[in-house]
Amino acid sequence: MTDSLSPQQIQSAERTLAAGTWTITAGAVLFSVLTVTPLVEEVTPAEWAWTAPILPLVVDAAVVIVVRLDAVVARLGGDSGRWPAVLRWMTGLMTLLLNVGNSALKGDQVGVAVHAVAPLLLIVTAEAGLAYRRAINTALERIERSRATEQAEREQRARADREHERQSREQREHTAREHAERLERERADREASERSAEREHAERLERERLDREADMRREQREHDNQVRREAQQREDALRREQQERAERSHPAQPARETAGHAAREAGMAESVNTADAAVNTVVNSTPGVFTKMPESDARSYLRSFREGERTVRQLSEDTGWSIGWVSARVQEAREQEASKAPQVEAMF
């Protein structure tokens, strides 16, 4: 039931109790002074009659002390022991006896009853007020403990909520970091895969290019070898034809033998030059490597081809000499062939 009251309500009830207690105490003290003073004057010498009010004031002061200190001790929740209780009851009995003494000496029972009301009320109020204050103090302590427990529970729940919120926030941050790291790893893996695919593609293209160049060089070498073989075959056929003609022509046998011998020497020279030219062609067909034939070898190489078999540019690339120089040598070879033709006809 007390838990339903607020501390302000309980303090208000305590103030009401204190106000009522002090009102009863003040009334009892005043009534006691007025009642006891005539009794004390009767038993006091005439010259000391003026001291009669001192005794009831002293007794009433003790009553005030008891009431006040009991209120403080009860408010503090302590127990003052036996002597405060003795003082409380002694002052109460003294006040009662002094108030009813005059009426008792006169045998006035009604006066005794009337004058006993204020002291008895003061004694019972002091005891009841003390009990009330202890009960109120106990209730306040219980309420304070309950409120402190509730406050501690609220603080604990608040700490638990804050801890849960912190853990949730850390969990969310951890999840976000893991998600970001996973995305970063996936991006890095994707970029690495793309770079690897690009490198493989570039390497494949480079291999294909190198294979094409190797095929082109091989085809070029095969073509050059085929051209040289055909040229050699034509030269061999020409020499055989010239030799046969020389053998059929008996009157000009010495001259023909001399011509055949010269032709064989020229063919051997051409074969040698052709072999040297083949070496140069193979070397010059290799990417990044180029050599220039000596002039004598270049002239032999140019004479190894018939007119029209290779262009001037191709001969220039094969020998390493300039196009102008190759053109001049081709023209010289053409003029020499033209000058040899009448001599051959004259022989026949």
Side-chain angles (χ1 to χ4, degrees):
M1 180 176 180
T2 55
D3 293 343
S4 62
L5 297 177
S6 63
Q8 292 78 11
Q9 292 175 332
I10 296 176
Q11 290 176 359
S12 177
E14 188 176 10
R15 286 194 297 270
T16 301
L17 174 61
T21 300
W22 286 112
T23 300
I24 293 172
T25 301
V29 169
L30 179 61
F31 185 77
S32 177
V33 170
L34 296 177
T35 301
V36 176
T37 298
L39 176 62
V40 176
E41 287 179 350
E42 291 179 359
V43 297
T44 303
E47 62 272 16
W48 294 102
W50 61 270
T51 62
I54 296 176
L55 180 61
L57 290 175
V58 171
V59 175
D60 293 337
V63 172
V64 171
I65 291 173
V66 169
V67 172
R68 177 59 181 169
L69 292 180
D70 283 343
V72 173
V73 172
R75 186 69 182 86
L76 295 176
D79 187 5
S80 57
R82 293 180 300 170
W83 289 107
V86 172
L87 178 62
R88 188 169 57 253
W89 280 96
M90 185 179 69
T91 55
L93 291 176
M94 286 180 180
T95 301
L96 176 63
L97 292 175
L98 289 174
N99 277 273
V100 300
N102 194 14
S103 298
L105 291 175
K106 293 179 180 180
D108 186 2
Q109 299 296 326
V110 177
V112 171
V114 171
H115 289 89
V117 172
L120 291 176
L121 183 61
L122 180 60
I123 294 171
V124 174
T125 300
E127 293 294 332
L130 180 60
Y132 280 139
R133 287 187 179 91
R134 288 176 177 173
I136 290 172
N137 186 63
T138 302
L140 284 175
E141 290 179 354
R142 185 169 62 254
I143 292 173
E144 289 176 357
R145 285 195 301 271
S146 177
R147 291 181 179 274
T149 302
E150 293 177 356
Q151 181 66 22
E153 291 177 353
R154 285 195 297 270
E155 291 178 355
Q156 185 175 1
R157 286 195 298 271
R159 286 194 298 271
D161 293 339
R162 289 194 298 271
E163 182 66 19
H164 179 70
E165 183 179 357
R166 184 183 64 80
Q167 293 178 356
S168 300
R169 183 174 63 256
E170 291 179 353
Q171 182 66 26
R172 290 194 299 271
E173 293 176 354
H174 181 67
T175 303
R177 285 195 300 271
E178 288 184 348
H179 180 68
E181 291 175 356
R182 185 172 65 255
L183 292 178
E184 183 64 20
R185 286 194 300 270
E186 291 176 355
R187 185 187 63 79
D189 294 341
R190 186 170 57 254
E191 291 179 355
S193 300
E194 291 176 355
R195 288 194 297 270
S196 178
E198 290 177 356
R199 286 195 301 271
E200 292 178 356
H201 180 67
E203 291 175 356
R204 186 173 63 255
L205 293 178
E206 183 65 17
R207 287 194 300 271
E208 292 176 355
R209 186 184 66 80
L210 293 176
D211 293 341
R212 286 195 301 270
E213 291 180 354
D215 293 339
M216 292 174 63
R217 288 194 297 272
R218 185 174 60 256
E219 292 176 356
Q220 183 65 31
R221 287 195 299 270
E222 292 176 355
H223 176 71
D224 293 341
N225 293 333
Q226 181 66 25
V227 170
R228 284 194 295 273
R229 286 194 298 270
E230 292 177 355
Q232 186 66 33
Q233 290 174 1
R234 287 193 298 271
E235 292 293 334
D236 294 341
L238 180 59
R239 285 195 300 273
R240 286 194 299 270
E241 183 179 357
Q242 291 176 356
Q243 186 176 1
E244 291 175 356
R245 290 178 181 176
E247 290 177 354
R248 289 196 299 269
S249 178
H250 297 288
Q253 183 66 32
R256 285 195 299 271
E257 290 178 357
T258 303
H261 181 68
R264 282 193 300 272
E265 291 179 355
M268 293 176 63
E270 290 175 357
S271 298
V272 174
N273 292 336
T274 302
D276 294 336
V279 174
N280 193 72
T281 302
V282 174
V283 173
N284 291 340
S285 62
T286 303
V289 179
F290 187 84
T291 59
K292 185 176 182 181
M293 290 183 182
E295 183 176 357
S296 59
D297 295 339
R299 289 176 179 274
S300 299
Y301 181 79
L302 295 177
R303 288 195 300 271
S304 65
F305 294 97
R306 294 182 180 275
E307 185 176 359
E309 290 181 349
R310 293 181 70 81
T311 63
V312 174
R313 181 178 295 277
Q314 291 175 342
L315 294 172
S316 175
E317 292 175 352
D318 294 340
T319 60
W321 289 82
S322 65
I323 295 176
W325 186 87
V326 172
S327 298
R329 303 292 81 76
V330 170
Q331 183 64 29
E332 289 177 0
R334 188 180 297 114
E335 292 175 355
Q336 290 177 1
E337 290 293 334
S339 64
K340 287 181 181 180
Q343 294 178 4
V344 173
E345 291 177 356
M347 293 174 61
F348 290 98

